[in-house]
Amino acid sequence: MNMVESTTPLVRRSTERGIATLTLDSPHNRNALSARLRTELADGLAAALADDAVRAVLLTASGPAFCAGADLKEVAAERAGREPDPAAPGMPELFSAIMDADKPVVARLNGPARAGGIGLVAAADIAVAPEDATFAFTEVRIGVVPAIISVPVAARMHDRQLGRYFLTGETFDARAAAEAGLLTAAVPADRLHAYTEEILDGLRKGAPRALARTKALLSGPDGHKRASAFAEMGELSREFFGSDDAAEGREAFFAKRPPRWVL
């Protein structure tokens, strides 16, 4: 990694008219959720929530993809003995920070989302994407389980579609994602910014305390059970990411070949 790569922020922040925008800006790896990106995203969210001038948070990304999910190169390095960053928030902490935020979080996708990247989409209160965006829960195809992301995703998607896409790992488009409940809306690419601004303008008109209480209301009576669900799914995720199948899946992914179990 060169000096520019090591010092350039992976999450850009800006605030305009009460909206704090957090932009994932690691296009070289399709905005994968590396330890540094997770840390910067969590810090950016915390700063936005602490700012009384901020009414809502907009989560978006640069480059050709919204988020590719876990950084598999980083996972492989950790499995090979490299110590993980102890200060970096895990996926459960990151998703919980978004879901438990006392300000609305809107996700505006710029392109595809995969695996853990879809967890960000599901954790947001409102999510919009261009019609040509695609989605896939690729975990089973690399020998792991979509465990941690099942907590936010299962709260959004209808059971039958969730079962199909979790089990097959197949790609589905933004319209199918909206029909399944993952997205609020799939809109033409040339309407994406205008459509999002309509939503943000609506949030700007809401009283801050009323918005916070309404978001809590939408979490429902089972919101307090989320921590235990994340803990259980975290154990399951660690089990499978440390398995022989996961090692084979990562090797096959990097070599651009089918893993050994493909018929």
Side-chain angles (χ1 to χ4, degrees):
M1 179 179 292
N2 63 38
M3 185 59 67
V4 173
E5 290 175 327
S6 66
T7 59
T8 301
L10 300 185
V11 177
R12 291 187 282 109
R13 311 182 201 177
S14 64
T15 301
E16 182 178 0
R17 292 185 58 220
I19 305 300
T21 299
L22 303 177
T23 304
L24 309 184
D25 194 18
S26 183
H28 71 281
N29 64 357
R30 299 172 69 83
N31 298 310
L33 294 168
S34 64
R36 189 156 74 93
L37 188 143
R38 296 195 311 271
T39 298
E40 292 184 18
L41 179 55
D43 289 347
L45 180 63
L49 298 181
D51 187 346
D52 290 340
V54 170
R55 186 65 50 85
V57 178
L58 175 65
L59 177 60
T60 188
S62 65
F66 177 70
C67 181
D71 186 334
L72 294 182
K73 289 185 178 179
E74 189 171 82
V75 171
E78 290 174 1
R79 294 300 169 189
R82 192 183 81 181
E83 287 295 319
D85 181 356
M91 298 284 198
E93 290 79 14
L94 186 58
F95 297 153
S96 292
I98 296 171
M99 298 171 80
D100 295 336
D102 60 1
K103 296 176 183 180
V105 178
V106 178
R108 183 185 68 206
L109 280 67
N110 56 307
R114 296 289 185 269
I118 304 178
L120 293 178
V121 178
D125 301 291
I126 299 170
V128 297
E131 290 175 334
D132 59 357
T134 60
F135 304 81
F137 299 102
T138 51
E139 286 88 347
V140 293
R141 297 192 178 192
I142 60 168
V144 297
V145 175
I148 292 172
I149 66 168
S150 72
V151 178
V153 171
R156 302 294 186 195
M157 292 185 71
H158 309 313
D159 289 347
R160 287 298 189 184
Q161 289 97 326
L162 180 64
R164 172 182 175 177
Y165 297 130
F166 262 19
L167 290 169
T168 66
E170 67 189 282
T171 299
F172 55 104
D173 64 21
R175 288 187 177 182
E179 291 172 0
L182 177 63
L183 291 177
T184 305
V187 299
D190 61 359
R191 277 274 301 147
L192 183 64
H193 283 263
Y195 188 93
T196 307
E197 277 303 310
E198 291 172 8
I199 292 171
L200 296 177
D201 277 342
L203 296 176
R204 289 181 176 108
K205 295 173 182 176
R209 289 185 64 246
L211 285 174
R213 189 62 185 90
T214 300
K215 175 168 177 171
L217 180 152
L218 290 169
S219 296
D222 294 331
H224 67 281
K225 297 180 180 178
R226 193 180 301 136
S228 61
F230 271 131
E232 180 181 353
M233 291 300 99
E235 288 297 322
L236 180 61
S237 180
R238 282 187 287 274
E239 174 190 344
F240 273 83
F241 267 99
S243 69
D244 291 341
D245 277 351
E248 163 65 11
R250 288 191 296 271
E251 185 177 327
F253 176 82
F254 294 135
K256 301 186 186 307
R257 62 167 175 80
R260 64 172 182 262
W261 56 74
V262 174
L263 300 177

